[in-house]
Amino acid sequence: MRILAHISDLHFGRLNPGAPPALRASIAASGADVVVVSGDLTQRARAREFAAARRFLDSLSVPWIVVPGNHDVPLYDIFSRWLNPLGRYRQYISDDVEPFYADREIAVLGINTARSLTFKNGRINRDQVRRGCALLGGCADTVTRIIVTHHPFDLPATNGHDEVVGRASMAIEGFARCRVDLILSGHLHHSQTGATTLRYGDTGYSAVLVQAGTATSSRQRTELNSYNVISIDRPRLSIDRMVWEDQSGAFAVTGSDHFRLAPLGWARSANTAEPGM
Ligand SMILES: [Fe+2]
Ligand SMILES: [Fe+2]
């Protein structure tokens, strides 16, 4: 069994000040083996924001794997934006913008979907999908294959389909061929879970799409600060949604979604703990 803490959209520079220490304590209590961060570590890609984000990551007593988000590319510093868009991210967070983590039960690959300009909703390309399948497709069948991106592959029902990451359909078809199990994303500051079949139809292998809200930003749009605790115990998988409570100043579980693996991929189930399901 493996436990992932999936956090996103930290936005150092525009924080709910109580959230980072509460998040740190909640992650420690979750028993997470790995922390997965799906981008937007900063608000404006400033050096001091990256430094604070890095201090926070280093204060977690768990290994972390991170991808950049659109807010980690300078918006107003045109020179940096074009010549070295992820320069500060590389300097403060990681030189590897597409990191890979693997152990005997899970393999996690980060894919960078943040672009300098043109693609507001981010973009994934064929080479990134090919590399993902080369790395994840080579893992044993018992290993749960996980992709992390900033930009989403799934959306709330109120959003138009063009708000998914650019070339999402191409990527989902490619990932189905190498049996990717789980795709973790952020960006919308909205938490959600679902199977790829609902949005993309039958691709031959259904993955679980997990969206995280913003873990620590004061710009919460429609929901409070939140993150996901994902427990993977093949053929079962569950996602606990942890939400910030103003009164207690702590994160608490408000709901859980469960999925079960069948020959054609993952489907929602009533409860992963139910025997014989
Ligand atoms: Fe964000
Ligand atoms: Fe974003």
Side-chain angles (χ1 to χ4, degrees):
M1 174 155 169
R2 288 287 181 270
I3 299 176
L4 306 183
H6 172 207
I7 66 178
S8 197
D9 297 79
L10 305 175
H11 290 293
F12 276 82
R14 191 168 174 178
L15 288 179
N16 169 2
L23 179 63
R24 183 187 305 115
S26 183
I27 289 172
S30 75
D33 299 289
V34 182
V35 176
V36 176
V37 190
S38 48
D40 277 0
L41 284 87
T42 67
Q43 182 63 19
R44 285 280 170 248
R46 295 184 178 107
R48 65 175 179 273
E49 295 172 353
F50 277 120
R54 177 58 190 261
R55 280 196 299 277
F56 174 77
L57 293 175
D58 284 341
S59 76
L60 304 174
S61 50
V62 184
W64 39 269
I65 181 166
V66 185
V67 292
N70 53 304
H71 277 255
D72 301 321
V73 173
L75 184 62
Y76 300 117
D77 181 349
I78 299 298
F79 195 70
S80 299
R81 185 174 181 86
W82 285 102
L83 287 185
N84 193 11
L86 287 171
R88 282 192 199 128
Y89 179 93
R90 290 178 189 276
Q91 182 184 348
Y92 286 95
I93 305 299
S94 173
D95 197 35
D96 186 357
V97 299
E98 301 207 318
F100 183 60
Y101 168 92
D103 62 29
R104 281 187 304 176
E105 292 189 42
I106 57 170
V108 187
L109 174 67
I111 292 182
N112 172 26
T113 55
R115 300 291 187 262
S116 292
L117 208 60
T118 313
F119 303 110
K120 177 178 112 210
N121 299 324
R123 196 160 167 93
I124 187 166
N125 64 39
R126 248 177 229 289
D127 284 345
Q128 291 175 305
V129 175
R130 252 184 236 123
R131 175 173 181 259
C133 279
L135 285 167
L136 297 176
C139 296
D141 285 348
T142 51
V143 170
T144 299
R145 303 166 185 193
I146 304 166
I147 295 282
V148 188
T149 63
H150 177 60
H151 293 89
F153 287 86
D154 206 1
L155 304 168
T158 47
N159 293 49
H161 182 71
D162 61 348
E163 290 182 52
V164 294
V165 63
R167 310 213 68 194
S169 296
M170 175 278 294
I172 291 290
E173 283 173 23
F175 290 148
R177 283 195 289 274
C178 60
R179 300 173 77 85
V180 166
D181 296 295
L182 189 55
I183 303 178
L184 311 180
S185 309
H187 183 60
L188 296 174
H189 299 197
H190 173 83
S191 31
Q192 181 173 340
T193 67
T196 49
T197 38
L198 288 178
R199 181 169 291 275
Y200 298 93
D202 179 14
T203 56
Y205 190 79
S206 174
V208 182
L209 300 174
V210 180
Q211 288 290 129
T214 168
T216 53
S217 171
S218 61
R219 190 177 176 221
Q220 297 155 1
R221 298 182 192 163
T222 56
E223 46 177 65
L224 297 170
N225 290 129
S226 66
Y227 79 103
N228 300 315
V229 174
I230 304 174
S231 303
I232 302 166
D233 191 9
R234 282 174 93 90
R236 300 182 177 99
L237 186 158
S238 68
I239 301 124
D240 290 340
R241 184 162 174 263
M242 310 296 296
V243 178
W244 162 266
E245 290 182 327
D246 267 333
Q247 280 193 334
S248 65
F251 285 86
V253 62
T254 59
S256 303
D257 292 322
H258 306 282
F259 291 83
R260 186 174 171 85
L261 183 59
L264 294 180
W266 295 87
R268 200 178 284 278
S269 71
N271 185 338
T272 55
E274 283 179 29
M277 281 194 64

